[in-house]
Amino acid sequence: MTDSRPLPAGARERIEAAVDAAFDEQIDTTIAFTAIPSTRAAEAPCQDMFAKLLRDRGYEVDDWVINQDDLKALPGYGPVETDFSRARSVVGTCRPAREEGRSLILQGHCDVVPAGPLDMWERPPFQPVIENGWLYGRGAGDMKSGTISALYALDAIKAAGYRPKGRIHLQSVIEEESTGLGALSTLQRGYRADVCILPEPTDEKLMRAQVGVIWFRLKVRGIPVHVARAGTGSNAIKAAIHLIQKLEGLEAEWNERAKTHPSFKSVEHPLNFNPGIIKGGDWASSVPAWCDVDCRIGVLPGWKIADAQAEIVDFVAKAARSHPFLANNPPEIVWSGFLSPGYEATEIQESEAVLAPVYEHVFGRKLTSFSSTALTDARFYGLDFGVPAFCFGATMEGAHGFNERVDLASVKRVTKALALFTASWCGIEAN
Amino acid sequence: MTDSRPLPAGARERIEAAVDAAFDEQIDTTIAFTAIPSTRAAEAPCQDMFAKLLRDRGYEVDDWVINQDDLKALPGYGPVETDFSRARSVVGTCRPAREEGRSLILQGHCDVVPAGPLDMWERPPFQPVIENGWLYGRGAGDMKSGTISALYALDAIKAAGYRPKGRIHLQSVIEEESTGLGALSTLQRGYRADVCILPEPTDEKLMRAQVGVIWFRLKVRGIPVHVARAGTGSNAIKAAIHLIQKLEGLEAEWNERAKTHPSFKSVEHPLNFNPGIIKGGDWASSVPAWCDVDCRIGVLPGWKIADAQAEIVDFVAKAARSHPFLANNPPEIVWSGFLSPGYEATEIQESEAVLAPVYEHVFGRKLTSFSSTALTDARFYGLDFGVPAFCFGATMEGAHGFNERVDLASVKRVTKALALFTASWCGIEAN
């Protein structure tokens, strides 16, 4: 491991100019990438496109179908309920002839969350458009512009006449929004580096800590009857409501604990409980027999997931005991995705020391950091595989919402910062 | 109009014996009818089967596709949201050469409510089986055994060597469980009689009054965000929960009013509010942007539907005003099916006088009556088209629930009562 080394004279200016020169093309590529509706289990065309972008540039491309069985015993594994038969990871490697510099992983995810009802979008979510310097579209911010930034950052080094002296893996994964199995699969396959940067949309800050997340489904089953005799049956929708409202108590309890957590004590309400999907009943005039609620709750870095799961199980059991029907028909809990611990990037001093001056040059202000109330794939690298990892990326709005958009001027700044960081971190030499 | 006339000597015994003789075949027909999964918009094979049963017996068969536009201006019309292009009514008419006796409509509905999750049935819902004298299956009780009872009641009169002296319409309709448009279509087409009996499963009692029903859908729309910033968005599921819980207040208020209603003051909690279907959100880690709740609420006979709708609208608007998000984003209310007033059978003295002695003979006890907390198609006949109507049918369990079943001994008693009523009401003569 070596310290940051000064760039060759004029390299910084030439790399920044190369980002500027290719930025129109970068936007076009970002738009094409964002136009692919790569929701869960439909990421294949995005992975195809990214693999082609890598091949066209001469990267060594590893594009493989993920075998879920290879991952089940690994830390941070979360169960998958969708069709996983076409799940793929794509890694492009740029390998110097002699690996003298520090190595780097740049990882993006190409899966996006569902767009929701189209009538709530002002523009079609998968027909990206630019207005007043913002690029609109589902995934434009989270995080297709980030992945493409990393690609063009490396392009700029080459266009400026240099090549990195450290090994670089440019990775596109799936399942970031549900289990993280895409990132886990790259680690299972053996990809490692001295640092991993995830150009997630961090509002131009360094994400130093993040919560963990657990997904669970409450499955309530009741005895349905004709609504004429509603009193003799149990309305599963009403029973599910009881559980949702009780779980707000667990959320409050956990947020109390966060008030003394070093990374989250100054964050207001860091641990959100979200009933995100509800489905129950099939006839207005039948007392509903079932109601499923898909929930997400945050956990603090340092908490064991198994302990948090046990707390959820106990809390739901207690809530059920206080309900006349549920007491005799306790709900089932299904772990339906994320079983992901929180993460604090405690080992990134070396990379931060390289990023800070680059940031100050490009952004004209000091690099700041924050603790996130969302999770990212960074946890796998940093917690379990000895790869210090952090997120750093552009400014966006509407993540997981309607009219998602990313600030293109911010994307350009981030691209420059990633390029200059890479050059400084890996070292560069004339091509 | 004539009074009830004595049956020819020996007719009663011969008709009862004919019911007994054909009862195995009646059960087979009921099983075949119940085996057809005639949920909403899928009733066609049931109507085909019933039309064939009528044709095979020589009825004059009227089998037509319902034009919804013909019904829209009629009283009691409720909006249909499903495919109505194949909606049919089937009427079989038995017309005496000289119409000397009173006329009769016997109406059944062949639509059934959804079966719900199959794993909650002990037996497949559309593979009817008999166990310990009960016939199990979705629709076995509500009300395929009733429709087939009417068919075999008329068969028994013929098999006993008689023919009715009054015009009889044997009708099979759809949409009874959702709008009532099937029954309304027979009235729009002009079918009338001196009385209409609906062999609904009334536990061997006469249904003298019934509530009305309104269906409505609450459509809540929120501003979704990443759950990391849950505080800045509005969770549409939580907002829908707020409305559901507030509407329980309307239910309580309406049941207070029922305490002075002549037909319902002695019924406990006659007006049920049922959130029957809920659907919201599409991602556990996105604050849900929308939640739709399909609701059913009962209304008392005598209430104007438009007034009740206005009360619901006002109540929901008030509930929305007390919620921080809904106050600025009031929910939409969609009238999604039944807009049906309650009904009291005040004009059935003449038919009741005929049924009572028949009942006492067959059942060995006095006929009793009740006020129902569910509605039936009877309302259209009695309220708006001058056809006194009431329900009378067999004992069942599990209506709109799992393991629906009908008591076959009760079905036989009801078949005999319907046959003897018809003979007495219309009069019979040797065939």
Side-chain angles (χ1 to χ4, degrees), chain A residues 122-135:
Chain A
E122 288 171 22
R123 306 154 192 83
F126 296 109
Q127 293 175 30
V129 291
I130 299 171
E131 280 179 35
N132 300 319
W134 293 85
L135 173 65

Side-chain angles (χ1 to χ4, degrees), chain A residues 327-351:
Chain A
N328 295 317
N329 302 276
E332 188 186 349
I333 297 178
V334 176
W335 308 107
S336 49
F338 287 124
L339 290 173
S340 306
Y343 167 58
E344 291 167 297
T346 53
E347 309 292 323
I348 60 166
Q349 296 85 350
E350 188 181 340
S351 47

Side-chain angles (χ1 to χ4, degrees), chain A residues 215 226 228 274 278 280 284-285 373 399, chain B residues 215 226 228 274 278 280 284-286 373 399:
Chain A
W215 274 12
H226 193 295
N274 186 58
I278 191 166
S285 287
T373 57
Chain B
W215 275 12
H226 193 294
N274 185 59
I278 190 166
S285 287
S286 299
T373 57

Side-chain angles (χ1 to χ4, degrees), chain B residues 40 68 77-84 175 178-179 215-217 219 294 334-337:
Chain B
R40 195 177 191 190
Q68 208 184 148
Y77 173 84
V80 177
E81 298 184 329
T82 47
D83 174 16
F84 208 69
E175 287 279 309
S178 44
T179 59
W215 275 12
F216 59 99
R217 182 176 305 124
K219 290 179 82 78
D294 280 60
V334 177
W335 308 108
S336 48

Side-chain angles (χ1 to χ4, degrees), chain A residues 4 16 84-85 106 119 144 155 168 183-184 209 225 244 248 271 277 290 369 379 407 418 424 430:
Chain A
S4 187
E16 289 188 88
F84 208 67
S85 61
L106 293 166
D119 61 6
K144 288 175 171 176
D155 280 1
I168 299 174
L184 186 58
V225 295
I244 290 170
E248 289 172 356
L271 302 177
I277 310 173
W290 73 97
S369 65
R379 68 192 183 281
D407 177 347
L418 289 175
S424 299

Side-chain angles (χ1 to χ4, degrees), chain B residues 141 143 146 149 197-207 359 363 370 390-396 406 410-411 414-415 418:
Chain B
M143 64 167 288
S149 286
I197 298 181
L198 303 98
E200 290 269 9
T202 60
D203 199 22
E204 305 182 341
K205 300 182 184 76
L206 186 153
M207 187 193 292
Y359 183 94
F363 290 79
F370 71 110
F390 64 89
C391 298
F392 168 72
T395 297
M396 76 167 294
V406 67
S410 177
V411 170
V414 165
T415 307
L418 289 175

Side-chain angles (χ1 to χ4, degrees), chain A residues 104-358:
Chain A
L104 170 66
I105 290 171
L106 293 166
Q107 190 222 272
H109 66 85
C110 72
D111 55 309
V112 298
V113 297
L118 296 187
D119 61 6
M120 294 183 77
W121 286 78
E122 288 171 22
R123 306 154 192 83
F126 296 109
Q127 293 175 30
V129 291
I130 299 171
E131 280 179 35
N132 300 319
W134 293 85
L135 173 65
Y136 288 82
R138 168 60 82 231
D142 183 9
M143 64 170 285
K144 288 175 171 176
S145 58
T147 309
I148 301 301
S149 287
L151 182 76
Y152 279 83
L154 301 186
D155 280 1
I157 293 173
K158 187 177 179 186
Y162 302 101
R163 60 176 175 241
K165 291 161 77 176
R167 177 173 35 88
I168 299 174
H169 302 298
L170 195 46
Q171 309 187 162
S172 175
V173 304
I174 66 170
E175 287 279 306
E176 193 272 346
E177 301 285 7
S178 45
T179 60
L181 292 197
L184 186 58
S185 79
T186 67
L187 289 155
Q188 181 270 333
R189 202 161 172 98
Y191 289 100
R192 301 285 185 280
D194 295 321
V195 74
C196 171
I197 299 181
L198 303 97
E200 291 267 10
T202 61
D203 199 22
E204 305 183 341
K205 298 183 185 75
L206 186 154
M207 187 194 290
R208 190 183 298 282
Q210 58 183 44
V211 299
V213 166
I214 294 175
W215 274 12
F216 60 98
R217 181 175 305 124
L218 300 169
K219 291 178 82 79
V220 174
R221 294 286 175 276
I223 299 168
V225 295
H226 193 295
V227 72
R229 288 171 293 279
T232 70
S234 173
N235 186 311
I237 294 173
K238 290 187 185 180
I241 288 173
H242 172 81
L243 294 176
I244 290 170
Q245 293 184 324
K246 285 287 179 186
L247 278 164
E248 289 172 356
L250 182 66
E251 180 190 30
E253 198 179 312
W254 284 8
N255 278 294
E256 272 303 306
R257 291 182 215 167
K259 288 180 178 168
T260 57
H261 191 281
S263 291
F264 284 95
K265 62 188 173 193
S266 58
V267 177
E268 197 191 329
H269 204 274
L271 302 177
N272 289 298
F273 163 67
N274 186 58
I277 310 173
I278 191 166
K279 287 179 193 164
D282 59 10
W283 199 251
S285 287
S286 298
V287 179
W290 73 97
C291 188
D292 290 354
V293 189
D294 280 61
C295 301
R296 176 267 193 205
I297 193 164
V299 298
L300 288 173
W303 291 10
K304 286 207 174 75
I305 287 296
D307 294 345
Q309 287 177 283
E311 272 201 70
I312 292 167
V313 168
D314 288 351
F315 202 91
V316 169
K318 194 177 147 201
R321 283 198 295 275
S322 67
H323 186 269
F325 171 78
L326 293 170
N328 295 317
N329 302 276
E332 188 186 349
I333 297 178
V334 176
W335 308 107
S336 49
F338 287 124
L339 290 173
S340 306
Y343 167 58
E344 291 167 297
T346 53
E347 309 292 323
I348 60 166
Q349 296 85 350
E350 188 181 340
S351 47
E352 197 177 344
V354 174
L355 181 61
V358 161

